[in-house]
Coordinates of all heavy atoms in Angstrom, one line a residue:
R5 N 0.8 -1.2 0.0 CA 0.0 0.0 0.0 C 0.9 1.3 0.0 O 0.5 2.3 -0.6 CB -0.9 0.0 1.2 CG -2.0 -1.1 1.1 CD -3.0 -1.0 2.2 NE -4.0 -2.0 2.2 CZ -5.0 -2.1 3.1 NH1 -5.1 -1.2 4.0 NH2 -5.8 -3.1 3.0
A6 N 2.0 1.2 0.7 CA 2.9 2.4 0.7 C 3.5 2.7 -0.7 O 3.7 3.8 -1.0 CB 4.0 2.1 1.7
S7 N 3.6 1.6 -1.5 CA 4.2 1.8 -2.8 C 3.3 2.7 -3.7 O 3.8 3.2 -4.7 CB 4.5 0.5 -3.5 OG 3.3 -0.2 -3.7
R8 N 2.0 2.9 -3.3 CA 1.1 3.7 -4.2 C 1.3 5.2 -3.9 O 0.7 6.0 -4.6 CB -0.3 3.2 -3.9 CG -0.6 1.8 -4.2 CD -1.9 1.3 -3.6 NE -2.1 -0.1 -3.7 CZ -3.1 -0.7 -3.1 NH1 -4.0 0.0 -2.4 NH2 -3.3 -2.1 -3.2
A9 N 2.0 5.5 -2.8 CA 2.2 6.9 -2.4 C 3.0 7.6 -3.4 O 3.8 7.0 -4.1 CB 2.7 7.0 -1.0
A10 N 2.9 9.0 -3.4 CA 3.6 9.8 -4.4 C 5.0 10.1 -4.0 O 5.8 10.4 -4.9 CB 2.8 11.1 -4.6
D11 N 5.4 10.1 -2.7 CA 6.7 10.4 -2.3 C 7.2 9.6 -1.1 O 6.4 8.8 -0.5 CB 6.8 11.9 -2.0 CG 5.7 12.3 -0.9 OD1 5.7 11.7 0.2 OD2 4.9 13.2 -1.3
N12 N 8.4 9.7 -0.8 CA 9.0 8.9 0.2 C 8.4 9.2 1.6 O 8.2 8.2 2.4 CB 10.5 9.1 0.3 CG 11.3 8.4 -0.9 OD1 10.9 7.3 -1.3 ND2 12.3 9.1 -1.4
E13 N 8.1 10.4 1.9 CA 7.5 10.8 3.2 C 6.1 10.1 3.3 O 5.9 9.5 4.4 CB 7.3 12.3 3.3 CG 6.6 12.7 4.6 CD 6.3 14.2 4.7 OE1 7.1 15.0 4.0 OE2 5.4 14.6 5.4
S14 N 5.3 10.1 2.3 CA 4.0 9.5 2.4 C 4.2 7.9 2.4 O 3.4 7.3 3.1 CB 3.2 9.8 1.1 OG 2.9 11.2 1.1
M15 N 5.2 7.4 1.8 CA 5.4 6.0 1.8 C 5.7 5.5 3.2 O 5.2 4.5 3.7 CB 6.5 5.6 0.8 CG 6.1 5.7 -0.6 SD 7.5 5.4 -1.8 CE 7.7 3.6 -1.6
V16 N 6.6 6.2 3.9 CA 7.0 5.9 5.3 C 5.7 6.0 6.2 O 5.5 5.2 7.0 CB 8.1 6.7 5.8 CG1 8.3 6.5 7.3 CG2 9.4 6.4 5.0
L17 N 5.0 7.1 6.0 CA 3.9 7.4 6.8 C 2.8 6.3 6.7 O 2.2 5.8 7.6 CB 3.3 8.8 6.5 CG 2.2 9.3 7.4 CD1 2.7 9.5 8.8 CD2 1.7 10.7 6.9
N18 N 2.5 6.0 5.4 CA 1.5 5.0 5.2 C 1.9 3.6 5.7 O 1.1 2.9 6.4 CB 1.2 4.8 3.7 CG 0.5 6.1 3.1 OD1 0.0 6.9 3.9 ND2 0.4 6.1 1.8
A19 N 3.1 3.2 5.4 CA 3.6 1.9 5.9 C 3.6 1.8 7.4 O 3.1 0.8 8.0 CB 5.0 1.6 5.4
G20 N 4.1 2.8 8.1 CA 4.1 2.8 9.6 C 2.7 2.8 10.2 O 2.5 2.1 11.1
N21 N 1.8 3.6 9.6 CA 0.5 3.7 10.1 C -0.3 2.3 10.0 O -1.0 1.9 10.9 CB -0.3 4.8 9.5 CG 0.1 6.1 10.0 OD1 0.8 6.3 11.0 ND2 -0.3 7.2 9.2
I22 N -0.1 1.7 8.8 CA -0.7 0.4 8.6 C -0.2 -0.6 9.6 O -1.0 -1.4 10.2 CB -0.5 -0.1 7.1 CG1 -1.3 0.8 6.1 CG2 -0.9 -1.5 7.0 CD1 -0.9 0.6 4.7
L23 N 1.1 -0.7 9.8 CA 1.6 -1.6 10.7 C 1.1 -1.4 12.2 O 0.6 -2.3 12.8 CB 3.2 -1.6 10.7 CG 3.8 -2.1 9.5 CD1 5.3 -1.9 9.5 CD2 3.6 -3.6 9.3
S24 N 1.3 -0.2 12.6 CA 0.9 0.1 14.0 C -0.6 0.0 14.2 O -1.1 -0.5 15.3 CB 1.3 1.5 14.4 OG 0.7 2.5 13.6
D25 N -1.4 0.4 13.3 CA -2.9 0.3 13.4 C -3.4 -1.1 13.4 O -4.2 -1.5 14.2 CB -3.6 1.1 12.3 CG -3.5 2.6 12.5 OD1 -3.0 3.1 13.6 OD2 -3.8 3.4 11.5
N26 N -2.8 -1.9 12.5 CA -3.2 -3.3 12.4 C -2.8 -4.1 13.7 O -3.6 -4.9 14.2 CB -2.5 -4.0 11.2 CG -3.4 -3.8 9.9 OD1 -4.2 -4.7 9.6 ND2 -3.1 -2.7 9.3
L27 N -1.6 -3.8 14.2 CA -1.2 -4.5 15.5 C -2.1 -4.1 16.6 O -2.6 -4.9 17.4 CB 0.2 -4.1 15.8 CG 1.3 -4.7 14.9 CD1 2.7 -4.2 15.2 CD2 1.3 -6.3 15.0
A28 N -2.4 -2.8 16.7 CA -3.3 -2.3 17.8 C -4.7 -2.9 17.7 O -5.3 -3.2 18.7 CB -3.4 -0.8 17.7
N29 N -5.2 -3.0 16.5 CA -6.5 -3.6 16.3 C -6.6 -5.1 16.7 O -7.5 -5.6 17.2 CB -7.0 -3.5 14.8 CG -7.4 -2.1 14.5 OD1 -7.8 -1.3 15.3 ND2 -7.2 -1.7 13.2
L30 N -5.5 -5.8 16.4 CA -5.4 -7.2 16.8 C -5.5 -7.4 18.3 O -6.1 -8.2 18.8 CB -4.1 -7.9 16.2 CG -4.1 -8.1 14.7 CD1 -2.7 -8.6 14.3 CD2 -5.1 -9.1 14.2
I31 N -4.8 -6.5 19.0 CA -4.7 -6.5 20.4 C -6.1 -6.3 21.0 O -6.6 -6.9 21.9 CB -3.7 -5.5 21.0 CG1 -2.3 -5.8 20.5 CG2 -3.8 -5.4 22.5 CD1 -1.3 -4.7 20.7
R32 N -6.8 -5.3 20.4 CA -8.1 -5.0 20.9 C -9.2 -6.1 20.7 O -10.1 -6.2 21.5 CB -8.6 -3.7 20.3 CG -8.0 -2.4 20.8 CD -8.8 -1.2 20.4 NE -8.6 -1.0 18.9 CZ -7.7 -0.2 18.4 NH1 -6.8 0.4 19.2 NH2 -7.6 0.0 17.1
K33 N -8.9 -6.9 19.8 CA -9.9 -8.0 19.5 C -9.9 -9.1 20.6 O -10.8 -9.8 20.7 CB -9.6 -8.6 18.1 CG -9.8 -7.7 16.9 CD -11.3 -7.4 16.7 CE -11.5 -6.6 15.5 NZ -12.9 -6.3 15.3
F34 N -8.8 -9.2 21.3 CA -8.7 -10.2 22.4 C -9.4 -9.7 23.6 O -9.3 -8.5 23.9 CB -7.2 -10.5 22.7 CG -6.6 -11.6 21.8 CD1 -6.1 -11.2 20.5 CD2 -6.6 -12.9 22.1 CE1 -5.6 -12.1 19.7 CE2 -6.0 -13.8 21.3 CZ -5.5 -13.4 20.1
P35 N -10.1 -10.5 24.3 CA -10.9 -10.1 25.5 C -10.0 -9.8 26.6 O -8.8 -10.2 26.7 CB -11.8 -11.3 25.8 CG -11.0 -12.5 25.3 CD -10.3 -12.0 24.1
S36 N -10.5 -9.0 27.6 CA -9.8 -8.7 28.8 C -9.9 -10.0 29.7 O -11.0 -10.3 30.1 CB -10.3 -7.5 29.5 OG -9.8 -7.4 30.8
F37 N -8.8 -10.6 30.0 CA -8.8 -11.9 30.7 C -9.2 -11.6 32.2 O -9.8 -12.5 32.8 CB -7.5 -12.6 30.6 CG -7.2 -13.1 29.2 CD1 -6.3 -12.4 28.4 CD2 -7.9 -14.1 28.7 CE1 -6.0 -12.8 27.1 CE2 -7.7 -14.6 27.4 CZ -6.7 -13.9 26.6
E38 N -9.0 -10.4 32.7 CA -9.4 -10.1 34.1 C -10.9 -10.1 34.2 O -11.5 -10.4 35.2 CB -8.8 -8.8 34.5 CG -7.3 -8.7 34.8 CD -6.5 -8.6 33.5 OE1 -7.2 -8.5 32.4 OE2 -5.3 -8.7 33.5
N39 N -11.6 -9.8 33.1 CA -13.0 -9.6 33.1 C -13.8 -10.9 32.6 O -15.0 -10.9 32.6 CB -13.5 -8.4 32.3 CG -12.9 -7.1 32.8 OD1 -12.8 -7.0 34.0 ND2 -12.7 -6.2 31.9
L40 N -13.0 -11.9 32.3 CA -13.7 -13.2 31.8 C -14.3 -13.9 33.0 O -13.8 -13.8 34.1 CB -12.6 -14.1 31.2 CG -12.2 -13.9 29.8 CD1 -11.2 -14.9 29.4 CD2 -13.4 -13.9 28.8
P41 N -15.4 -14.5 32.8 CA -16.0 -15.4 33.9 C -14.9 -16.4 34.3 O -14.2 -16.9 33.5 CB -17.2 -16.1 33.2 CG -17.6 -15.1 32.1 CD -16.3 -14.5 31.6
P42 N -14.9 -16.8 35.6 CA -13.9 -17.7 36.1 C -13.8 -19.0 35.3 O -12.7 -19.5 35.0 CB -14.3 -17.9 37.5 CG -15.0 -16.7 37.9 CD -15.7 -16.2 36.7
F43 N -14.9 -19.5 34.8 CA -14.9 -20.8 34.1 C -14.1 -20.6 32.8 O -13.2 -21.4 32.5 CB -16.4 -21.2 33.8 CG -16.4 -22.3 32.7 CD1 -16.1 -23.6 33.1 CD2 -16.8 -22.0 31.4 CE1 -16.2 -24.6 32.1 CE2 -16.9 -23.0 30.5 CZ -16.6 -24.3 30.8

C-alpha cells in the first residue's frame, strides 16, 4: 500500500500507520482476561 504513495514521506507514513494500526486492532480483538468469567 505504501508503494502507491507519491513520495518517500508518504510511503513511510502509510507503511508505519498500517503496521501500528493493524497491530493495535489485533490486540483490541482479544478479550480482557481479568473480566472473563472464572470458568
Side-chain angles (χ1 to χ4, degrees):
R5 293 188 181 179
S7 66
R8 303 169 188 168
D11 52 59
N12 287 320
E13 178 184 333
S14 297
M15 290 175 72
V16 171
L17 188 62
N18 289 352
N21 286 343
I22 290 170
L23 289 172
S24 60
D25 289 348
N26 274 266
L27 290 172
N29 286 334
L30 290 174
I31 296 167
R32 283 194 291 268
K33 294 292 185 179
F34 277 82
S36 169
F37 294 104
E38 290 78 5
N39 297 328
L40 280 181
F43 168 75

